[in-house]
Amino acid sequence: MAGVSNAAERSSAGESRDARTVILGVTASDAHAVANHLIAHSLRDEGFDVVNLGVNTTVEEFFAALRDHPDAEAIVIGSINGHAYEDLLDLPEERAETGIDCPIILGGNLSVGSHKSDDHLRRLYDLGIDHILEDADQIAALLDKLLAARTADDAEATAYAVGEDHHT
């Protein structure tokens, strides 16, 4: 039912011109909403404009939201039921079709069972997940780090374009 509560969940995007936008949602087969709401609240407290797609969000819905909010810094996906891999199988195809290269961050309980192996993480990275976090408290710091890296890359590209420092 992604999208049903979206309007209520979205912060008022027009309030701040400097707001940093993040797309947030829970994987397609997962209806766990509590962590999603807590993460949305936490990110808003950090000054982010959160487009919260809620629970049961398909890969296609994440990318549609990103097309609606091309300024979004990242897609943040949660999964609690352990079926993240199965729910994100369409990710490589969607990325290829859209050409969108926005960072995708995943967290939560990412596999079924109590034993967690590096293989399930590798499979998720192979699908196109860029970052896997163990704790939701790490999201804002990662977003800051990604912004800093992007800003540095933009500054370097601008310097190169105007003929500065071509030897580094």
Side-chain angles (χ1 to χ4, degrees):
M1 293 297 294
V4 170
S5 63
N6 294 353
E9 283 290 315
R10 291 186 178 142
S11 65
S12 49
E15 288 182 10
S16 172
R17 300 183 84 168
D18 297 328
R20 298 168 56 193
T21 302
V22 176
I23 308 292
L24 175 68
V26 180
T27 56
S29 70
D30 200 327
H32 291 90
V34 174
N36 171 269
H37 288 288
L38 293 172
I39 292 169
H41 183 74
S42 175
L43 288 172
R44 287 181 181 124
D45 283 350
E46 295 285 335
F48 289 92
D49 178 19
V50 178
V51 179
N52 191 355
L53 303 175
V55 300
N56 302 121
T57 306
T58 66
V59 169
E60 183 178 62
E61 290 170 319
F62 281 112
F63 277 80
L66 194 53
R67 283 189 294 275
D68 292 342
H69 301 276
D71 59 328
E73 294 183 21
I75 296 173
V76 179
I77 303 172
S79 177
I80 301 298
N81 69 4
H83 297 286
Y85 179 78
E86 292 78 9
D87 288 339
L88 298 172
L89 284 173
D90 294 336
L91 184 58
E93 182 179 334
E94 193 71 30
R95 267 197 159 168
E97 286 180 10
T98 63
I100 294 174
D101 195 25
C102 181
I104 298 176
I105 301 167
L106 177 67
N109 178 31
L110 304 178
S111 65
V112 176
S114 58
H115 176 71
K116 308 296 181 189
S117 72
D118 289 340
D119 288 343
H120 77 274
L121 297 178
R122 188 175 10 269
R123 292 185 333 151
L124 291 163
Y125 284 124
D126 289 347
L127 285 178
I129 299 299
D130 297 299
H131 304 277
I132 297 174
L133 299 179
E134 294 180 5
D135 188 326
D137 289 339
Q138 300 170 321
I139 297 170
L142 176 59
L143 292 170
D144 289 344
K145 184 178 174 182
L146 292 171
L147 177 62
R150 196 171 40 255
T151 301
D153 287 347
D154 290 347
E156 184 176 318
T158 300
Y160 187 81
V162 296
E164 297 176 8
D165 199 11
H166 287 233
H167 301 289
T168 57

